[in-house]
Amino acid sequence: MKVIDKIVEMKQFIRSVKEKGQSLGFVPTMGYLHEGHRVLIKEAKKHNDVVAVSVFVNPLQFNQSSDLEQYPRDFVRDENILTNDGVDVVFYPSVDEMYPNELSIEMNVVKRTNVLCGSSRPGHFEGVVTVLTKLFNIVQPDQVYFGSKDAQQVAVVDALIHDLNFDIRLNPVSTVREKDGLALSSRNVNLTTSERTEAPEIFQSLLKGQEYILNNPNWERHQVIEIIKNYLDEHTTGKVDYVDCLSFPNLLDDIDKNHDIIIAVAIYYQKARLIDNLILNHNGFIKYGSE
Ligand code: AMP
């Protein structure tokens, strides 16, 4: 596996891939890799000749410096995982390489971000689309793979690709979970022992919401939210950031029951903010969110 930390070299590598007429799959990550990332890589390998992964903790998408500092990093470990998984190239640039100067252009995401993580993390998705625009231009992938665990990110990347005419196919991949239901996340290492024990209740709360939808054809959005909130109040000590039920991928509260919806939760623990969601089809069955 090639490890490349310079943009010029990465572009050279990509040029050689394109010259050979090979298809290119790309998985952007912030590293500290786990099974969730590995499933994205596996999908990318299945459908492309060459697979590129980026490992870059993007400071632009962190709105709290403590969160950026606490974000776990271990590139040696990541490199081993990526080598074993048969990745062809990892792009591992420094912050200076990606942002050598103060940016002259700011991106502003005006739809799909006034809810969920967008409202509690101002500037987050602007940081995400900025780094992804740069990465997409550097890597020029045919296909990209994103986890539905970050469903709002999937919705925003979908808008980015369409609005800015990137010739890229977006593939959402279902959330990978621990046996007890906790969604895998690099942030889980920052949970205390007791927080880790109760964290699977987040997934259980979503299943309660889904159960209500499945059993009530005339289900109401506010009831879904209330059921999940009540469950979380009873079963976790974490502080609820949000619970919501919206159309997907438009993320509107005016729900059309003939289309997909998302039920989503974010919880603050002492040193980690965890998110989870289920994307349901019009019948209430899980489309993305669990294997
Ligand atoms: P991150 O390194 O957290 O930025 O995540 C990189 C990619 O992995 C994103 O597309 C995430 O949605 C995806 N991802 C993170 N956790 C999981 C998971 N548990 N299951 C599936 N994909 C995930």
Side-chain angles (χ1 to χ4, degrees):
M1 182 183 69
K2 257 186 132 38
V3 179
I4 297 181
D5 60 5
K6 293 283 179 283
I7 294 170
V8 184
E9 282 170 34
M10 190 65 188
K11 284 187 165 177
Q12 267 165 11
F13 179 90
I14 299 298
R15 215 171 295 133
S16 71
V17 171
K18 302 272 166 189
E19 275 165 13
K20 287 183 211 140
Q22 293 174 307
S23 60
L24 179 62
F26 177 43
V27 181
T29 82
M30 297 203 296
Y32 213 73
L33 304 174
H34 52 65
E35 282 304 313
H37 300 106
R38 295 183 68 203
V39 167
L40 303 186
I41 291 165
K42 210 187 270 176
E43 273 303 301
K45 276 192 69 76
K46 239 191 266 173
H47 302 286
N48 299 275
D49 300 322
V50 175
V51 171
V53 172
S54 61
V55 173
F56 180 62
V57 182
N58 175 33
L60 238 58
Q61 70 191 66
F62 285 78
N63 49 333
Q64 281 180 344
S65 56
S66 59
D67 191 21
L68 177 60
E69 281 155 25
Q70 277 167 14
Y71 201 85
R73 296 161 168 90
D74 187 343
F75 186 68
V76 175
R77 184 175 156 276
D78 290 343
E79 198 180 336
N80 274 326
I81 293 173
L82 295 171
T83 305
N84 287 333
D85 283 354
V87 167
D88 298 281
V89 59
V90 55
F91 183 49
Y92 179 55
S94 66
V95 172
D96 279 349
E97 180 69 9
M98 288 297 276
Y99 302 113
N101 307 305
E102 207 177 307
L103 291 170
S104 312
I105 307 283
E106 268 187 15
M107 299 181 79
N108 191 11
V109 190
V110 292
K111 285 195 174 156
R112 305 183 177 188
T113 50
N114 60 338
V115 289
L116 309 178
C117 297
S119 57
S120 42
R121 300 182 72 188
H124 170 69
F125 285 108
E126 280 71 18
V128 169
V129 294
T130 303
V131 79
L132 287 179
T133 299
K134 288 169 75 72
L135 290 170
F136 289 174
N137 282 327
I138 295 164
V139 178
Q140 296 176 42
D142 300 297
Q143 306 204 59
V144 287
Y145 297 81
F146 283 85
S148 74
K149 185 185 149 266
D150 301 282
Q152 189 168 21
Q153 178 165 269
V154 170
V156 170
V157 174
D158 172 64
L160 175 70
I161 286 175
H162 286 106
D163 282 9
L164 300 193
N165 302 99
F166 282 105
D167 204 1
I168 298 175
R169 185 191 160 123
L170 168 63
N171 299 280
V173 179
S174 252
T175 304
V176 180
R177 300 178 178 280
E178 302 279 5
K179 279 203 179 69
D180 60 14
L182 176 63
L184 296 191
S185 164
S186 306
R187 296 172 191 273
N188 291 350
V189 293
N190 291 334
L191 295 172
T192 65
T193 312
S194 64
E195 287 172 346
R196 173 63 190 85
T197 308
E198 66 176 58
E201 298 292 1
I202 300 172
F203 181 47
Q204 291 305 318
S205 77
L206 293 169
L207 292 176
K208 293 283 168 216
Q210 183 204 13
E211 186 180 280
Y212 161 72
I213 290 172
L214 283 172
N215 292 333
N216 296 278
N218 295 322
W219 61 269
E220 291 184 55
R221 174 176 174 263
H222 75 95
Q223 288 278 11
V224 180
I225 296 171
E226 206 171 302
I227 286 165
I228 297 174
K229 269 195 180 145
N230 288 343
Y231 187 91
L232 288 170
D233 281 349
E234 278 173 32
H235 293 86
T236 72
T237 55
K239 183 173 159 286
V240 173
D241 178 12
Y242 63 71
V243 173
D244 216 338
C245 173
L246 301 163
S247 64
F248 189 84
N250 291 336
L251 305 184
L252 301 173
D253 58 15
D254 184 14
I255 287 173
D256 175 351
K257 288 189 182 174
N258 295 313
H259 289 104
D260 295 347
I261 60 156
I262 178 169
I263 49 180
V265 169
I267 302 259
Y268 285 107
Y269 287 107
Q270 285 171 52
K271 287 197 172 165
R273 177 178 170 280
L274 301 190
I275 58 171
D276 202 352
N277 69 78
L278 293 177
I279 297 168
L280 307 178
N281 69 17
H282 63 283
N283 290 319
F285 295 120
I286 296 175
K287 185 167 175 182
Y288 299 109
S290 194
E291 291 289 276

